[in-house]
Amino acid sequence: MKRNRWLIALAAVGLHISIGSVYAWSVLARPVMETMGLTLPEATWAFSIAIFFLGLSAGFLGHFVERLGPCRSGLLSMTFFVAGLLGTALAVEVKSLALLYLAYGAVGGVGLGVGYITPVATLVKWFPRHRGFATGLAIMGFGFAAFIAGPVMQRLTAAYGLTENFLFMAAAYALVMGASSLYLAPPRPGDVAEDAGRAVLREAAAAPASLPQRQYTRREAVKTPEFAALWWIFFTNITCGIGLLAVASPMAQEVIRMSPAGAASLVGIIGIVNGAGRILWSTISDWIGRGAVYLLFFTIEAFAFWQLAGTTDAAAFAAWVLLIISCYGGGFSCMPAYLSDLFGVRHLSSIHGVILTAWGMAGIAGPLLLSVMKSETGGYAPTLRLFAGLLVLAWVLAAWLYTRRKKTAAALRGEEA
């Protein structure tokens, strides 16, 4: 059957908008705590473990996913993700914390990671001349998911109960992810005018000064100080952003006295801004460069976190949160291009996979740090100020990378002259 590439794109979005519902966890945090008798750190661990397994499976299962092909790997993602939701429903019903961590965290997390990387490589092959747009489209779907999932989960939980919510979501995601996976397939010869490999070579020939002097392998790239700096930059941006995401709903209810429905709506808006930020900031990075845009991220986020720590005004609270989340989302979409700037395009998938381990580590560090410090101090402000300090340190590393990149580009121009 001949496939339409726009329906392929829609199928990719279907996968990502399903697994991206993990970003709506904060809507469920308080109901899970009340139903199972958990503390905030205990409930947050479920989200942290899910993101940890997402990062690990995305980082180390890339070759396995490529061998399976997009259809079978998509179905594998669906199997793990839906099994995780069903197991979570059982965990809530029997009030088992260990089962919650196993089901939502480990099993569901593997489904997240496999599903995250499955459609990206396929879209690159279908849109060889617009690779950034294609991958940004799928990643944007992951960010937008909370816009749909947050309010829906809140209403299902209020109307039917927490266990039933997980059962409903499992059935819905099985349908969407199954249909999406069955349509996913790489292009056959003649389906696209130019394959991705030729497109990369054409772009490299057209703009040699913009590329590194050599095409690094994964082993070579990870040994460089640039990779270490970029890993820490990525880790810091995700730690601070995902920590805020994990507690956005209970934090809004406690700090500015927002209702549960209002907090769920805020989580939905966060999903929109998370997704839109991925397209917006990646476009801006094409104009001003990846190094400059990361400097801009950390300047904005450090200031916003500091301001958020002291605000009790609802409008200001929402504004600072959304500004931070836009930069958080942009950090994901700009990273592959930044890696290609530094290490070339030939082994980009492998190098990108390794740096995604920062996501898995940050998925534990951010939410856990925020929830534990909240329990110890009685508020969120100390952690938010700590995040601001970490972002200042990340700004210093980003400035070093930016300066080093500028010197390299100047040297390349001098050699060409």
Side-chain angles (χ1 to χ4, degrees):
M1 178 181 69
K2 183 176 177 61
R3 284 168 167 78
N4 181 288
R5 67 175 184 167
W6 292 105
L7 291 180
I8 290 286
L10 183 62
V13 172
L15 269 179
H16 267 217
I17 213 165
S18 298
I19 61 175
S21 62
V22 69
Y23 277 163
W25 171 257
S26 68
V27 172
L28 301 173
R30 179 165 285 187
V32 168
M33 290 163 59
E34 293 171 353
T35 302
M36 299 183 65
L38 307 179
T39 64
L40 180 60
E42 287 174 331
T44 303
W45 260 109
F47 176 80
S48 296
I49 294 170
I51 298 300
F52 176 73
F53 275 89
L54 186 161
L56 289 186
S57 56
F60 295 108
L61 292 180
H63 294 301
F64 177 70
V65 167
E66 287 178 359
R67 287 199 300 270
L68 278 181
C71 178
R72 285 186 291 177
S73 61
L75 292 173
L76 181 65
S77 169
M78 179 206 71
T79 301
F80 273 89
F81 187 61
V82 171
L85 291 175
L86 293 174
T88 303
L90 179 60
V92 170
E93 189 66 21
V94 301
K95 295 180 172 55
S96 170
L97 182 59
L99 183 56
L100 177 68
Y101 291 162
L102 175 64
Y104 192 88
V107 177
V110 172
L112 293 174
V114 173
Y116 188 85
I117 58 178
T118 289
V120 173
T122 303
L123 280 178
V124 165
K125 296 171 184 176
W126 279 98
F127 294 84
R129 297 183 182 180
H130 305 283
R131 299 185 307 280
F133 164 78
T135 56
L137 188 65
I139 293 172
M140 180 185 67
F142 194 94
F144 271 139
F147 169 65
I148 300 171
V152 170
M153 287 180 176
Q154 191 273 330
R155 289 171 186 165
L156 285 174
T157 302
Y160 301 101
L162 188 59
T163 300
E164 289 75 11
N165 164 72
F166 287 113
L167 294 175
F168 285 139
M169 300 308 286
Y173 290 139
L175 180 63
V176 174
M177 295 178 73
S180 298
S181 299
L182 290 172
Y183 195 79
L184 281 176
R188 295 173 298 184
D191 283 345
V192 294
E194 180 181 27
D195 67 39
R198 290 195 183 97
V200 169
L201 293 175
R202 173 177 50 76
E203 291 168 11
S210 67
L211 296 173
Q213 290 174 287
R214 51 187 290 222
Q215 302 291 302
Y216 287 72
T217 65
R218 181 178 65 177
R219 184 185 298 271
E220 292 169 339
V222 298
K223 292 179 180 179
T224 64
E226 290 87 351
F227 183 88
L230 207 54
W231 191 97
W232 185 258
I233 284 170
F234 199 40
F235 172 78
T236 302
N237 192 53
I238 299 172
T239 295
C240 300
I242 210 166
L244 186 60
L245 275 171
V247 298
S249 179
M251 184 178 172
Q253 293 175 59
E254 293 173 33
V255 174
I256 59 173
R257 306 302 178 192
M258 187 175 284
S259 68
S265 296
L266 176 62
V267 171
I269 296 171
I270 284 172
I272 296 177
V273 173
N274 190 359
R278 297 172 189 232
I279 293 294
L280 174 65
W281 286 113
S282 62
T283 302
I284 292 173
S285 77
D286 286 334
W287 299 338
I288 66 175
R290 257 65 66 177
V293 86
Y294 273 93
L295 285 172
L296 192 55
F297 284 159
F298 297 136
T299 301
I300 292 171
E301 288 180 282
F303 182 75
F305 267 111
W306 191 266
Q307 293 298 313
L308 184 62
T311 188
T312 54
D313 178 75
F317 179 92
W320 294 127
V321 167
L322 295 177
L323 192 59
I324 291 166
I325 294 303
S326 77
C327 296
Y328 166 79
F332 281 98
S333 60
C334 294
M335 183 53 64
Y338 205 176
L339 289 170
S340 69
D341 291 344
L342 294 171
F343 305 116
V345 297
R346 187 173 299 162
H347 303 285
L348 179 59
S349 294
S350 296
I351 298 170
H352 187 213
V354 176
I355 212 162
L356 284 175
T357 58
W359 191 2
M361 300 302 292
I364 290 180
L368 188 63
L369 182 63
L370 204 152
S371 60
V372 168
M373 285 190 67
K374 195 269 180 182
S375 296
E376 293 296 323
T377 64
Y380 296 98
T383 316
L384 298 178
R385 293 194 177 101
L386 174 62
F387 283 170
L390 291 173
L391 288 160
V392 170
L393 293 177
W395 187 95
V396 173
L397 273 179
W400 174 79
L401 270 176
Y402 178 75
T403 303
R404 189 176 178 91
R405 178 65 184 160
K406 293 281 283 188
K407 289 180 180 177
T408 301
L412 282 171
R413 287 194 294 270
E415 290 177 8
E416 289 176 357

